[in-house]
Amino acid sequence: MDEEIQGLIKHMSDPSEKEAFYFADKLGKNLDESGRDKVIELVKGDSWEIAYLACRALSQSSFNEESLDAIFEAINDKKNRPQQGAFVQILEEFDLSQRFVDIFRVFLFGNFKAQTLAKMYLDEVEFDMTPRTLRKAEKHWNHYLHNPEDEGSLELKKLEVEPILTEIKELFSED
């Protein structure tokens, strides 16, 4: 990994650095393959602030798609639950067209802010859908139905989810 990238990672990761966002953006624009794995490692790390900045750097890089698995892993990690919304918010910088199931899962199981942002993505992003996508979404929906976080929200969630799944089913029944 080149010295410039190491320096940017160091500045971005320094808790006393007031310009951490600047260094994250600069890191993303300069990121190469050798630095990519280190930054993805930071996304999976114990400090949510550094993980968030690493996500921001990745959003500015050419490794946008490759980094989404690590970001969704961070979103779904229980240790990040209080900050889940921040990680979901950074997703607006990524191409989510192949990530319907991941977004749908966040919509079902995320905290309030994460669910709200995921619903916005579900409404606004044009996803590439396949019958497999539908099956995977239905699998998560069935899991949610049998394991709701609270019974009171189940009816409200049904009102939101069932039209989405019905619309997707209709897309494939027209073929």
Side-chain angles (χ1 to χ4, degrees):
M1 181 170 27
D2 107 1
E3 284 184 39
E4 181 184 12
I5 290 175
Q6 285 179 333
L8 291 170
I9 290 172
K10 185 179 178 195
H11 282 294
M12 179 190 79
S13 302
D14 182 352
S16 63
E17 179 59 63
K18 292 184 184 340
E19 299 292 326
F21 283 91
Y22 167 78
F23 288 109
D25 291 345
K26 189 169 181 177
L27 172 63
K29 288 178 176 67
N30 293 306
L31 197 61
D32 59 14
E33 282 195 39
S34 65
R36 175 195 62 202
D37 294 337
K38 175 62 178 163
V39 176
I40 287 176
E41 220 175 274
L42 293 173
V43 171
K44 298 176 183 182
D46 291 331
S47 168
W48 82 266
E49 291 99 341
I50 293 171
Y52 177 82
L53 289 166
C55 291
R56 183 176 172 121
L58 289 166
S59 76
Q60 303 292 315
S61 77
S62 61
F63 306 106
N64 200 295
E65 176 60 32
E66 294 123 282
S67 53
L68 279 171
D69 287 336
I71 295 170
F72 278 107
E73 196 176 306
I75 289 168
N76 294 315
D77 191 331
K78 291 191 185 318
K79 77 174 187 263
N80 292 326
R81 183 123 174 117
Q83 295 82 23
Q84 200 176 38
F87 287 103
V88 175
Q89 189 169 8
I90 198 73
L91 291 175
E92 70 188 10
E93 302 294 327
F94 291 85
D95 175 12
L96 299 174
S97 62
Q98 302 291 320
R99 299 301 184 133
F100 176 82
V101 174
D102 294 313
I103 298 294
F104 187 70
R105 186 172 173 220
V106 171
F107 175 64
L108 293 175
F109 300 107
N111 66 21
F112 181 75
K113 183 176 179 181
Q115 286 181 15
T116 303
L117 291 166
K119 177 68 169 121
M120 181 188 73
Y121 296 140
L122 289 172
D123 290 342
E124 294 177 3
V125 173
E126 190 168 320
F127 294 99
D128 294 337
M129 303 299 263
T130 65
R132 184 171 186 252
T133 306
L134 175 60
R135 286 192 303 275
K136 288 173 110 180
E138 286 176 325
K139 178 183 149 219
H140 288 298
W141 176 235
N142 286 327
H143 178 75
Y144 180 86
L145 288 172
H146 294 95
N147 304 289
E149 288 189 17
D150 67 277
E151 295 293 327
S153 66
L154 183 60
E155 287 305 312
L156 179 61
K157 195 63 84 171
K158 278 183 178 180
L159 290 173
E160 293 177 309
V161 170
E162 289 177 349
I164 293 171
L165 294 177
T166 301
E167 186 177 331
I168 296 168
K169 285 177 189 173
E170 288 172 358
L171 283 172
F172 297 115
S173 67
E174 292 173 3
D175 292 344

